[in-house]
Amino acid sequence: MEKYISALLISFYVYGFAGWVWESFICPVITGGKIKNSGFLNGPIVPIYGVGALSVSLLFSVHETYLSIFIGGAFVACVIEYFTSWAMEKLYHRRWWDYSDKAFNVNGRVCLEGFLVFGLFSVVAVKFIQPALMERILNHGMLMLVVVALESSFFAFSAASFSLWRAI
């Protein structure tokens, strides 16, 4: 059980890092924008991607249809994004993203474009990435998993506390 939980924690950091790469480098290159450090933390992690990818990976089976994963995963991710946006606005009195200029948005917190991207990412995560990632991570010894999970947690909490301290 501990090995499985450690593997999920490592998966969270892998997805959080992938989200940071996506938002900081890939999206700006695609849209012609400026490359930047994305997110509210100082460091290469965007936690909402870890939460979203793990939620979808735990809620949907690799044996489900592509369409059910696409629609269900997109819905789950949009719910997470909506409530994360709302909670961060209440906590920090500012918005980290605003989709008001996008078609079919809901209060500027989620939009159709995001729904479609989240659906695609959900299918890729559930069908391909998470099974391969878990197999690879679980093949390592327990000590290695615990050390990596603890180091990752220390790094993330340090980045979060520094970011929160800086905001005060």
Side-chain angles (χ1 to χ4, degrees):
M1 182 65 163
E2 294 88 9
K3 195 170 187 176
Y4 181 74
I5 292 171
S6 295
L8 289 177
L9 185 59
I10 293 167
S11 297
F12 168 83
Y13 292 115
V14 168
Y15 289 121
F17 176 73
W20 178 79
V21 170
W22 173 258
E23 286 194 1
S24 298
F25 297 101
I26 297 171
C27 285
V29 168
I30 291 171
T31 62
K34 190 175 181 180
I35 293 176
K36 63 186 181 335
N37 182 23
S38 182
F40 77 104
L41 296 179
N42 291 322
I45 187 168
V46 179
I48 193 170
Y49 282 87
V51 171
L54 272 186
S55 297
V56 168
S57 294
L58 291 170
L59 289 171
F60 299 96
S61 165
V62 69
H63 304 293
E64 292 185 48
T65 66
Y66 286 94
L67 184 61
S68 68
I69 296 169
F70 182 92
I71 293 171
F75 178 77
V76 167
C78 281
V79 167
I80 291 169
E81 184 171 45
Y82 188 93
F83 285 107
T84 300
S85 171
W86 176 83
M88 288 179 71
E89 186 174 345
K90 295 299 177 199
L91 283 170
Y92 301 110
H93 307 291
R94 69 175 269 221
R95 277 197 171 192
W96 266 261
W97 60 87
D98 186 358
Y99 302 127
S100 295
D101 61 330
K102 304 273 186 188
F104 305 104
N105 75 80
V106 179
N107 299 324
R109 298 185 192 284
V110 294
C111 65
L112 179 60
E113 180 183 323
F115 180 89
L116 297 174
V117 170
F118 293 150
L120 178 62
F121 283 175
S122 295
V123 169
V124 171
V126 171
K127 290 282 194 179
F128 305 104
I129 296 173
Q130 190 63 15
L133 189 58
M134 289 298 281
E135 181 181 339
R136 187 148 177 110
I137 293 170
L138 290 172
N139 283 332
H140 289 286
M142 186 60 189
L143 180 61
M144 176 64 101
L145 287 176
V146 171
V147 168
V148 170
L150 288 174
E151 284 181 356
S152 300
S153 296
F154 176 75
F155 171 76
F157 290 125
S158 296
S161 61
F162 179 75
S163 180
L164 293 174
W165 175 78
R166 192 180 63 166
I168 295 175

